[in-house]
Amino acid sequence: MCAWLVVVDAAAGNATGTIQWNGNGSTYPQGTEGEGQEHMLEGQGAAKDDALHLKRRLGLFSGVALIVGTMIGSGIFVSPTGVLERTGSVGVSFAIWISCGVLSLLGALAYAELGTMNTSSGAEYAYFMDAFGPLPAFLFSWVSTLVLKPSQMAIISLSFGRYVVEPFVGDCEPSGVAMKLVAVLIILVILVINCYSVNLATGVQNVFTAAKMVAIMIVICGGMYQLQKGNTHHLQTPFEPISQERASASLADIATAFYTGLWAYDGWNNLNYVTEEIKNPSRNLPLSIIIAIPMVTICYVLINVSYLTVMSPDALLESEAVAVTFGNLTLGVMAWLIPLSVAISTFGSANGTLFAAGRLCFAASREGHLMNILSYVHIRRLTPAPGLIFHSLIAIIMVVSGSIDSLIDFFSFTAWIFYGGAMLALIVMRKTRRDAPRPYKVPIFVPFLVMFVSIYLVIAPMIDQPKLEYLYALLFIISGLLFYLPFVHLGYSSKIMERVTVFLQLLMEVAPTQSVFPAKEN
């Protein structure tokens, strides 16, 4: 049994040739039956006319837009409550927001050196491979694909559910079940969009990113108007404790407040995932970072000021959807604009998260770090449907089993282990690759500082306020070793999994993007 399947350029979304499937899971290009094919990474020596060659299309403006668009999501509309609750005062909460911006900027500048030294896409995966070898790189792809990206999708979807449900319940507490049902529904809708068409998914992303900026400007302009009216009462004594119970914050409180704030800033390293597609990366990568992250930091500080012009700290803590409460107090009959704008913003963020997550899953499995089926694409839609479905299923499980706050702590704890690892990789390569070209170079104190902060963010909560989420995260990272040795290092392949792969390939009408295996005799 033989079938002709389409070979797809996943980056450009165009059909580029055909491969033959011989019924036993093996694939090979048309006209090359029986010939071994070398598996080549995108960006690793790709020739100009290679089917999988990534073109450099992102200029400075696109780089800034990518960083700003991914950083500003649901976090600023949800996180102010968590940061204020954990710090215990308005002044300390503002210090946390500014510190998170500075830390994100320093971390991103260190990533700029890594990204201009190694221009392969994949960010941490490529840097860990250079500095430490395949095992740490595998653990990163293992955790990112199975935990970090799905949990990020779950958090954003739960935020969407909260902002959709709250306007319908008035002053009552939104139902957790209702919020989770809406979150699951939106994941399924976004999954259909991304599986149906790449063009549709990117079009939705562009429209919803514009709506996100409208929501930000509505809140900031409303706050500036209130300041003009003299509503500064809640800002006059910023370091006064908001309650006697929270007169001082512990080291763990500060660390978890950083987790909540840094969740709103997450996305500062996303440009490094597409380094191969940036025009003149030695200039545009660091410059995009220097422009975008301070811009986001200013927006976040002004939004927090706006909230406090009309809400007391106690009222802010009691609100489950801070931006909605702000709209009710300032916009009158037009208050519905806030939940609508924020819901649109979070929908766009969830869409972009799944879009990127599907590609990360696609890339990791193509290199043999996950099941082969997850690297396949639909033969007509040209979308990585298996990877998208896989991520969505994990995200739905996380939505059903967790809350926003616990998921944010889980996400931030795990992410900062690898952010710290990337800083260590930079420090190591300053010694092991002294002569490597570095178009952009940060002062050596920057990676040391970010690494020490990441160590603090990982260790302090475990010591002072241990949670099961932290234990689960560590166990999951360690469990990757159980899969690495037999399935990656030794290359073990189960006959059952080969049959499952063939079955799913036929069921979902998907095919690999390039020939990885030589043909076998029928």
Side-chain angles (χ1 to χ4, degrees), residues 9 17 27 92 96 98 141 184 235-236 240 272 277 333 360 386 399 425 430 433 441 446 459 463 466 468 500:
D9 179 348
T27 56
V92 177
I96 292 294
I98 296 172
S141 64
V184 170
L235 299 168
Q236 291 177 354
E240 182 178 325
N272 288 68
E277 300 171 79
V333 295
L360 175 61
V399 164
R430 285 284 184 95
R433 301 184 62 185
K441 190 174 182 180
V446 171
I459 292 179
I463 294 176
L468 284 177
V500 170

Side-chain angles (χ1 to χ4, degrees), residues 394-409:
I394 298 178
I396 288 173
I397 293 172
M398 290 184 171
V399 164
V400 172
S401 61
S403 65
I404 290 180
D405 288 338
S406 64
L407 283 172
I408 288 176
D409 289 348

Side-chain angles (χ1 to χ4, degrees), residues 465-487:
Q465 295 179 359
K467 294 182 180 180
L468 284 177
E469 287 89 345
Y470 306 147
L471 178 62
Y472 293 155
L474 291 175
L475 289 177
F476 189 84
I477 294 173
I478 295 172
S479 69
L481 299 174
L482 302 178
F483 291 85
Y484 175 79
L485 182 61
F487 296 110

Side-chain angles (χ1 to χ4, degrees), residues 7 26 47 67 95 103 117-118 135 143 151 201 220 225 229 232 265 298 312 332 342 384-385 418 426 454 507:
V7 175
S26 298
I67 296 174
L103 180 62
M117 182 174 64
N118 182 343
L135 178 56
V143 175
S151 65
I220 291 177
Y225 175 73
K229 292 172 61 178
T232 60
Y265 282 94
I298 292 171
S312 68
V342 176
F418 291 107
L426 176 56
S454 67
L507 177 66

Side-chain angles (χ1 to χ4, degrees), residues 114 126-133 136 421-422 424-426 428-429 432-433:
L114 290 166
Y127 313 147
F128 289 171
M129 185 68 78
D130 279 351
F132 310 125
L424 181 59
L426 176 56
V428 167
M429 285 191 285
T432 60
R433 301 184 62 185

